[in-house]
Amino acid sequence: MENTTKAKITLFHCINAFTEKKSLSTDRVDVKIIKMPCSGMVTEVFLLKAFEAGADAVSIFVCPEGACRYTEGNIRAGKRMAKTRSVLDEIGVGGKRLTMHQVKPAEGANAEQIIAGILEELKALGPNPAA
Amino acid sequence: MIVGHQKPIEEIKKMVKPYNKLLILGCGTCVKTCFAGGEDETAALASALRMAFKMDGVAMEINEQTVERQCENEFIQEAAKKIGENDAVLSLACGAGVQAMAKRFPKAPIYPGLNTTFMGIQESHGVFTEECLGCGNCGLGIFGAICPITRCSKKLLNGPCGGSQNGICEVDPSIECGWQQIIDRLKALGQLDNLRTYIPPKNWKTSHSGGPRKLVREDHII
Ligand code: SF4
Ligand code: SF4
C-alpha cells in the first residue's frame, strides 16, 4: 500500500485483553477501536460491516488461550474469524485482511507492534478493493 | 425444524444481477436456528453482496428485512411494503417459505438464497441431523422413537444389514448405524421384542412418492 494513503484499520478488542491508554492512530494509519465485553461477541456481520465501511484491515484482540474470563470467548472469536475470512475470500476482498491476535492487558506496547505488522502486510495487500 | 445452508455467493450474484434494487428477506424461525437465514445472516449476506457488486462495478441497492416466518401469511404481509419498493427478493427461507412468498406476491421475482436440506434437529450447538422424511405414516412407536427410514441409509425396516460395524454404517464412516441405535434404545426400554413383529414392505403412497401432498382441515375452514 502506498505511503501516501493513510491506511484504515478497525480493531475489535475484548476489554479484558487490552485497554488503550492512547490512540493507536498515527500519520500512517487511522485505527478505529471497538471495545467489547468479550471477544466472543464479535460476529461475522460486525466484521464484514467494518470492511464495508472502508477498513483496509480488521483485527480482533483476544485474551491468550485459557485466559478468557468467559471460558471460550476467544475460541468463538477464532471460529467467527475463520468463517468471515472464507466469505472475504469468496467475494474477492481477501481473507488475509482479517487477523486475530492474543494480547495480555499489560501489553499496551505490543498493540503498536501488531498494528505495525498489519501495516507491513497491507503493503502487499493494497487498499480494500471494496472501499 | 427445517435445516438449510446458504448458497455460494457467486450463484446468488448470478441470480440477482439483473436487478437494481434487491430485498434480502430473512426468516426468523427454523433457518435462523440453523444459522442460515435469520437477521444476522441476512445482514452479513447483504454486506458481503454490497461489497461484491461494488467491486464488480455493478450499482445495486441492497435492502434487508427479516420476518418471523415466511411460510405464514400474517408474517409475510409485514414484508409487503418493502417488496413493493424493490425489484426482486432474495429469500433466505426454506423452499416452502420461498414458494409461499411467490404465491402471495405473484408479480415479484423471488429467488432462493439457501439450499434447503432436511427436516431435523439441532443435535448439539452447530450440529444438525436429519430425523424425519415425512413419510406420512409414522412407525416410530415400534422402533423406540428412532426412524429407520431416515436414520438407516438403506431404509431397512426389519433389522440391520450385514454391514453395520461397531455402530457405524457401511455406507459412510461418518454415518452412525440407525439400526444399532434402534436396538440399543429398545434394549434400554425393555422393548427388544418389538423386533419380532414382521414389518411388511412399506406403502409409500402416503409419502411424496404418491405425488405432492395436501392436508385439508375442514374443521378450520369457514
Ligand atoms: S416413520 Fe415416517 S413420519 Fe415417522 S419419523 Fe420416520 S419418516 Fe418421519
Ligand atoms: S449399516 Fe446400519 S444404517 Fe447403514 S445401511 Fe446397514 S443397517 Fe442401515
Side-chain angles (χ1 to χ4, degrees):
Chain A
M1 210 168 156
E2 292 293 318
N3 274 347
T4 46
T5 3
K6 223 174 174 186
K8 284 188 192 148
I9 297 176
T10 302
L11 168 62
F12 290 87
H13 78 81
C14 164
I15 49 170
N16 300 308
F18 168 70
T19 319
E20 66 277 13
K21 300 200 172 64
K22 56 183 170 62
S23 167
L24 289 169
S25 296
T26 64
D27 54 351
R28 289 178 63 206
V29 59
D30 269 334
V31 182
K32 188 173 182 179
I33 293 180
I34 295 155
K35 296 180 199 178
M36 316 195 100
C38 173
S39 62
M41 290 184 74
V42 84
T43 61
E44 184 185 336
V45 63
F46 293 168
L47 297 169
L48 288 173
K49 290 244 179 204
F51 283 106
E52 193 188 342
D56 299 304
V58 174
S59 193
I60 316 164
F61 283 9
V62 303
C63 297
E65 230 162 89
C68 174
R69 181 180 284 192
Y70 305 105
T71 325
E72 60 204 12
N74 45 5
I75 303 170
R76 275 184 205 285
K79 298 251 174 173
R80 307 257 165 79
M81 178 189 72
K83 169 72 169 51
T84 311
R85 274 185 152 194
S86 72
V87 174
L88 291 168
D89 279 334
E90 203 181 346
I91 61 175
V93 170
K96 280 189 185 154
R97 294 176 185 277
L98 175 61
T99 53
M100 189 174 103
H101 300 272
Q102 295 187 357
V103 290
K104 292 196 188 105
E107 288 180 354
N110 193 14
E112 280 154 19
Q113 281 166 22
I114 295 169
I115 298 292
I118 295 172
L119 283 174
E120 230 9 71
E121 291 279 315
L122 279 177
K123 276 187 189 159
L125 294 170
N128 175 353
Chain B
M1 63 186 281
I2 310 290
V3 178
H5 60 273
Q6 200 185 293
K7 282 182 175 291
I9 292 182
E10 232 8 80
E11 187 183 339
I12 293 176
K13 275 171 67 183
K14 273 195 197 127
M15 287 189 289
V16 301
K17 207 175 171 177
Y19 303 101
N20 296 320
K21 279 179 93 177
L22 176 72
L23 174 66
I24 304 185
L25 190 65
C27 182
T29 307
C30 304
V31 291
K32 176 191 166 115
T33 311
C34 63
F35 315 113
E39 211 161 26
D40 278 12
E41 294 77 29
T42 301
L45 178 62
S47 183
L49 275 182
R50 274 184 215 111
M51 287 191 273
F53 279 124
K54 191 169 178 189
M55 280 185 287
D56 292 349
V58 175
M60 185 184 296
E61 184 183 321
I62 296 176
N63 300 299
E64 305 157 30
Q65 189 179 353
T66 298
V67 296
E68 190 67 27
R69 278 197 281 286
Q70 287 187 36
C71 55
E72 275 186 52
N73 273 348
E74 61 219 87
F75 296 113
I76 290 175
Q77 284 313 322
E78 291 169 17
K81 186 168 174 282
K82 281 217 172 156
I83 289 172
E85 292 164 0
N86 286 272
D87 301 334
V89 180
L90 179 73
S91 161
L92 298 191
C94 71
V98 175
Q99 293 179 73
M101 298 297 301
K103 281 187 187 184
R104 304 305 164 231
F105 300 99
K107 287 192 185 140
I110 317 273
Y111 294 93
L114 303 188
N115 287 326
T116 305
T117 322
F118 53 77
M119 218 191 304
I121 60 166
Q122 180 158 211
E123 183 82 47
S124 57
H125 197 70
V127 178
F128 303 89
T129 52
E130 182 166 25
E131 306 289 337
C132 174
L133 287 182
C135 75
N137 186 10
C138 192
L140 283 177
I142 294 177
F143 304 113
I146 295 172
C147 176
I149 293 165
T150 316
R151 307 280 295 276
C152 166
S153 307
K154 296 172 190 165
K155 298 185 174 64
L156 300 177
L157 296 177
N158 287 288
C161 72
S164 175
Q165 275 188 35
N166 303 320
I168 300 300
C169 171
E170 69 169 355
V171 167
D172 187 312
S174 70
I175 301 172
E176 288 172 72
C177 170
W179 266 101
Q180 183 70 56
Q181 292 173 23
I182 292 170
I183 290 167
D184 290 347
R185 187 155 155 86
L186 287 177
K187 255 190 211 162
L189 294 171
Q191 294 178 3
L192 207 52
D193 274 355
N194 284 10
L195 300 185
R196 291 186 191 282
T197 319
Y198 165 68
I199 315 286
K202 192 168 171 70
N203 182 350
W204 292 99
K205 228 173 141 180
T206 55
S207 76
H208 184 261
S209 302
R213 292 164 285 176
K214 192 176 198 172
L215 176 68
V216 180
R217 286 285 303 262
E218 283 298 347
D219 53 332
H220 285 267
I221 300 172
I222 309 288

